[in-house]
Amino acid sequence: KAFAEALSHPFRERHLLMKFIGRAFGRLRRPKIAARSPALKSEAKLLSSGVRRLGIEVVRVLKNYREGIVEKELELERIADSAIALFTMAAVISKLDASLSGDTPFEAPREEIAAGKYYCRLASRKVEKRLDALFSDDDEMIEELSDLETGLAHKKNQGAS
């Protein structure tokens, strides 16, 4: 609302417009993920890109559905899956980074490092797939099938009569 009012007086309210524009562009940048070990640079970049994309998609979903989002179970599941994948990715990177940086008494074996790096790739792909499916055309069919399986379709049809 304040932004809309500022647009009617752009010169007088330029500080408010600049603040809004700065925040909007800030959301488009990837957050900085600090990994001390250069060996984890690509994994940190994947995590950063995933966090940025999740933030953008959450705003998009909220803009599209508003309060109706609480009824959109499939979309919420995709967002939750993405957030969980990003969280576990951060944990894996953190553990590997501590091990590679000498913060732990034991150095991680090469197999553990390779497995962690591979997990980050899998998690990143999962985030992309889940977020790509946010506005899936298949959702109506999935909900219809679910209603048929649970008997809700019959009850809905009886209520409409």
Side-chain angles (χ1 to χ4, degrees):
K1 185 177 178 178
F3 179 71
E5 289 174 16
L7 284 175
S8 63
H9 304 292
F11 292 108
R12 189 175 65 204
E13 301 292 337
R14 68 183 171 275
H15 66 283
L16 185 62
L17 290 173
M18 295 305 287
K19 185 178 176 181
F20 177 81
I21 290 169
R23 268 196 243 144
F25 279 115
R27 286 189 192 112
L28 296 177
R29 278 186 262 137
R30 285 183 303 145
K32 195 169 204 155
I33 308 291
R36 290 172 289 177
S37 173
L40 298 172
K41 186 177 180 178
S42 63
E43 288 73 23
K45 188 176 179 180
L46 286 174
L47 177 60
S48 179
S49 296
V51 168
R52 175 185 171 267
R53 170 98 193 269
L54 178 63
I56 289 169
E57 295 299 339
V58 165
V59 169
R60 187 172 155 219
V61 165
L62 289 172
K63 181 181 165 190
N64 194 34
Y65 296 117
R66 300 187 187 272
E67 293 85 13
I69 188 62
V70 296
E71 301 295 326
K72 298 294 184 180
E73 293 176 29
L74 295 172
E75 287 83 348
L76 292 173
E77 179 184 9
R78 291 174 185 132
I79 289 170
D81 285 350
S82 298
I84 291 165
L86 290 169
F87 181 82
T88 56
M89 209 172 148
V92 167
I93 291 170
S94 177
K95 182 186 182 312
L96 292 177
D97 198 35
S99 179
L100 290 169
S101 301
D103 288 351
T104 61
F106 305 103
E107 189 174 317
R110 284 189 1 227
E111 301 85 22
E112 188 176 307
I113 294 166
K117 288 172 147 275
Y118 181 64
Y119 175 79
C120 288
R121 298 264 184 268
L122 291 177
S124 179
R125 268 189 241 133
K126 180 178 185 174
V127 169
E128 289 300 314
K129 281 177 134 175
R130 299 302 278 162
L131 295 178
D132 285 346
L134 269 176
F135 296 97
S136 172
D137 293 338
D138 295 337
D139 286 356
E140 284 183 33
M141 292 176 69
I142 293 168
E143 290 171 3
E144 218 173 278
L145 180 60
S146 175
D147 288 350
L148 287 170
E149 289 294 320
T150 60
L152 287 176
H154 181 69
K155 291 177 185 174
K156 285 180 184 178
N157 289 337
Q158 283 182 335
S161 306

